[in-house]
Amino acid sequence: MDQPEAINQALAAEYPEARAELDFTSAYELLIATILSAQSTDRRVNAVTVDLFRRYPDARALAEAEASDVEEIIQPVGFFRNKTTAIIAAARRIVDDFDGEVPGTLDELVTLPGVGRKTANVVLGNAFGVPGITPDTHLIRLSNRFGWVASTKPDDVERAVGDLFPPSEWVMVCHRVIWHGRRCCHARNPACGACVVNDLCPSRDLGEQDPVKAAALIREPRA
């Protein structure tokens, strides 16, 4: 078994419940939540989307929303004015160009305001079951630490990770690595001494080595 697959299997055993941590019940909800999650946290987004989706349950409703009303709801996620503009514009494009339904291809999704490849792949992988790599900050950081890529450019990471695993594993590899990055392999002071892939990681000496002290660094994602 090669190192990438060994890491994948170890993380699968450690995080059997790994999944997208944004709350959603439809492709529309996941799309909007993912746009809102930029430079925010999933917990904060989940806290505001309860009210947002109650008031605007689909793209047609959001397309007709008053910007000031949306801003009031999503203010806690940060950059709320720009995000309000983006999600209302995306909803209008969905209504105008896709008959009110979130499109299910990469080429179509990236035509929506506020949607790049990463957001599109989140929606495709988790709402439509279409394989894709989502190079968020955690996947970029850990892919470099694991030695899978030597670049912080999202496109480079997407290609490199995609080449290491079969498409059927892409979505879950991303979930597992992201969960590990949020809980153990922090940007600062990673918990190396308590890491389940310590023996497989070329960056194992980067963080706290003492197992007890390292275990104290493991945490749930912040609010």
Side-chain angles (χ1 to χ4, degrees):
M1 184 187 308
D2 61 12
Q3 184 252 26
E5 182 55 27
I7 287 178
N8 182 36
Q9 291 195 18
L11 295 181
E14 181 71 6
Y15 308 113
E17 72 278 28
R19 56 175 175 76
E21 294 187 90
L22 291 169
D23 294 337
F24 68 97
T25 62
S26 66
Y28 157 74
E29 290 186 357
L30 180 57
L31 173 67
I32 299 304
T34 305
I35 294 172
L36 295 180
S37 70
Q39 300 184 59
S40 187
T41 66
D42 289 354
R43 285 187 180 182
R44 194 163 293 149
V45 172
N46 289 339
V48 304
T49 53
V50 172
D51 189 25
L52 183 70
F53 296 147
R54 183 186 301 117
R55 295 184 62 177
Y56 309 107
D58 54 34
R60 295 186 187 280
L62 184 57
E64 299 296 326
E66 292 290 338
S68 58
D69 294 335
V70 175
E71 288 176 357
E72 183 177 355
I73 296 170
I74 71 167
Q75 185 171 358
V77 303
F79 302 97
F80 62 93
R81 292 190 178 89
N82 288 341
K83 291 178 181 179
T84 293
T85 300
I87 64 174
I88 291 177
R92 289 173 177 168
R93 183 72 60 82
I94 291 168
V95 171
D96 292 343
D97 294 354
F98 302 104
D99 197 28
E101 298 296 327
V102 174
T105 70
L106 180 65
D107 288 344
E108 291 172 322
L109 280 166
V110 296
T111 67
L112 303 177
V115 178
R117 286 184 63 90
K118 185 184 81 170
T119 295
N121 278 328
V122 169
V123 174
L124 289 172
N126 294 281
F128 292 102
V130 177
I133 302 293
T134 54
D136 82 332
T137 183
H138 303 290
L139 186 66
I140 291 171
R141 181 175 72 255
L142 271 65
S143 294
N144 277 270
R145 288 180 177 176
F146 291 157
W148 295 352
V149 66
S151 173
T152 58
K153 295 180 179 178
D155 288 350
D156 292 343
V157 174
E158 182 178 348
R159 282 191 296 270
V161 176
D163 287 343
L164 291 173
F165 299 96
S168 60
E169 279 292 297
W170 286 354
V171 173
M172 288 310 302
V173 165
C174 291
H175 285 328
R176 292 162 188 155
V177 172
I178 290 168
W179 273 51
H180 192 57
R182 287 174 170 171
R183 290 158 174 80
C184 180
C185 193
H186 315 304
R188 296 182 180 180
N189 202 16
C192 295
C195 176
V196 296
V197 296
N198 180 285
D199 60 331
L200 298 166
C201 180
S203 303
R204 66 177 67 90
D205 296 328
L206 190 62
E208 177 59 58
Q209 300 299 304
D210 181 87
V212 175
K213 292 180 179 178
L217 297 174
I218 294 177
R219 60 177 182 264
E220 286 300 302
R222 63 188 176 88

